[in-house]
Amino acid sequence: MGQTEYETETEALQLYAVLEQLALSLGIPPPSTATVSLPLLDFDSAAGIKGSELAEAFKDIAKAICRNELLRRKLGVIPATIPLITRILACISNSIMAIFYSLDSITEATCVGYTSWKSAQDISNLATSVFQILRNLCAAVPENQILACKASAYVSIERILNHLCSWIKLNKSRSCPDIKMLVFASIHMGIQTLGNMMTSNPAVQNKLWPRFFGDAEFFTTLFAVNDSRTKKYVLLCVYNCVFNDVARSSLLLDTAEGRKLLAAFFIQILSPPINDNESPDIIHAIFKSIISLHSAKVVWQALNRPSELQSISLDSRAEVLHLSSLPLVKVAFLRLIAYDSDAEQLDQSLYDNSFALGLVEDLKSAVQEFAKLRVRGMEAASGFGEDLRAIRDMFWYFARVTDGGSALSAAMREVLSAEGLIEPVIQFLGVAQELQPVVGIDGQRGAVDDGIVVVREGLYMMKADAIQVLSNLAYGCKNAQEKIRIAGGIPLILNHCHIDESNPFIKERSVFAIRNLCEGNAENQALIASMEAVGLPAGQNEALAAGHRMTAQLGKNGKIRIRAVDED
């Protein structure tokens, strides 16, 4: 049988009495007393504070209220509870500043980064356990969230998290790993506490959220820490605040701090933390939420500020992804668009002429760099892998917005055809054909310089994607049909009307592209009819015979006939 409300109130009073005794053990008087200076905690002297024991006692309070919402409510409404916790956090904050050295405090004598191992251990454990109490108090109890906000508990939380994250960054290559583990535990619990203070409470969110986007770089400092759990908790905190709220999500677009944070989130997609399957999904959720409230054009315009985003701190795995011809944040943005292919709200925002035409110019630049690989070889190829992925993502975007029979798609086909999309796509297809000859069903490919092997393997499916773009553009668009013919695209497409194991479905896409090019276009039909058939690619007939006991022959009418090898 569960507790009665009276029994729960009694337990809440008992927990508060324990909390008050623990605070007194730290030298902190209850809030009802006159304001006094908060002490710096002493853990090292013989008469010093027993930090580990006190941390366990605080943790017991957190555990007691963890699964009992009524008890959280009863403890929270005791007038002195949350102000006392806030005072304890302020004391811990001051002591952390003294124990964990800042940049200007580090010397050869203090190179470990803290005053003593015991002090660093005890203060870290205390911070984690007190955070845990406040985190649990605020979980699903709006009244406690508001009380914590009114008590300004967030001020000490910010100070502690800022200092510890800066300390971690400063001490990458020194200090005891055990202490770093404890510091990370404090950081994780502190972010969760801040998140619980705001989650599902618009009143608190609206008060605190603008605070993070002034001169301070609170969230970007946290997210710059090379720790997957820290990043995940920051992402969750941000998502809970921006979801379905125009005003709060606008701060990510309208402030320098917000733009840097959003760009850092998106870039993380290119280098997701190892063994973390959740963070990429949260980033995609943030992206979809913002796109649904604003538009692809607005979001991209906010992020398209190279000088402002230069100071984004990336972990070592992301730093290798800087591109030769495209901004890193744009590649990430395209990757997110490609990932969210089924988002209805995203579809509507992508049909924006200025955004699409900007991508056309980006594609032209990227393809020009790609074309240089024909003469520059391995020196250029080794650093071009991410550029290839960016070109692929642009192909996916263009194929998406030109697909189907809607008025939006038809209008986009006309605009993109008129503004120069066709030429770079055909140029890419021609260069790709040189770098990656057809792989027939026998698994053999034509001769190619070994120096291009990196790019050649990276071209998997890309020729098929390029043909898909041309096919979509030609659908019901006479201007595109004409431009593809004039640019020499028809022979290139015809050359791909066969199996290529490096480009699954390229045969089907090429056949459909020829169909779209010929529909209602006598000139294209005449050009194809006038072309001389030259037979099958070298080696393909032999492979058919060896592997399938079949052979292909070119008839007098120019059509290919498949027959059994034993057929008379």
Side-chain angles (χ1 to χ4, degrees), residues 183-206:
V183 168
F184 274 123
S186 296
I187 291 172
H188 299 158
M189 192 64 72
I191 300 172
Q192 291 178 56
T193 302
L194 195 61
N196 275 15
M197 282 180 61
M198 296 189 291
T199 298
S200 303
N201 195 320
V204 177
Q205 289 172 337
N206 290 336

Side-chain angles (χ1 to χ4, degrees), residues 20 27 47 49 108 160 196 251 296 311 378 408 461 463 474 543:
E20 193 171 90
I49 295 168
E108 288 299 318
I160 294 170
N196 275 15
L251 285 173
S311 61
M378 190 63 180
L408 285 172
M461 277 298 294
K463 290 191 286 184

Side-chain angles (χ1 to χ4, degrees), residues 398-526:
F398 289 126
R400 180 174 172 183
V401 297
T402 56
D403 185 40
S406 70
L408 285 172
S409 296
M412 193 61 77
R413 287 193 287 271
E414 294 289 349
V415 169
L416 292 173
S417 299
E419 297 297 332
L421 174 60
I422 288 169
E423 290 77 7
V425 176
I426 291 175
Q427 182 185 12
F428 174 88
L429 193 57
V431 175
Q433 178 61 13
E434 293 183 37
L435 297 178
Q436 186 191 54
V438 172
V439 179
I441 58 175
D442 60 345
Q444 300 297 314
R445 66 169 93 239
V448 66
D449 183 354
D450 287 339
I452 306 298
V453 67
V454 172
V455 169
R456 186 172 64 185
E457 298 305 321
L459 286 170
Y460 182 78
M461 277 298 294
M462 289 191 67
K463 290 191 286 184
D465 291 337
I467 288 174
Q468 184 67 60
V469 174
L470 295 174
S471 177
N472 287 4
L473 288 170
Y475 176 66
C477 180
K478 185 68 177 288
N479 186 34
Q481 294 171 347
E482 297 292 307
K483 289 199 169 191
I484 291 171
R485 183 185 74 247
I486 293 169
I490 290 178
L492 270 176
I493 295 171
L494 284 170
N495 283 340
H496 291 90
C497 290
H498 46 66
I499 296 171
D500 179 353
E501 293 198 353
S502 288
N503 285 271
F505 307 111
I506 196 171
K507 175 183 176 181
E508 292 78 6
R509 293 183 183 185
S510 298
V511 169
F512 200 74
I514 294 299
R515 178 260 185 204
N516 287 348
L517 284 162
C518 290
E519 186 176 30
N521 193 306
E523 292 88 348
N524 287 352
Q525 294 173 24

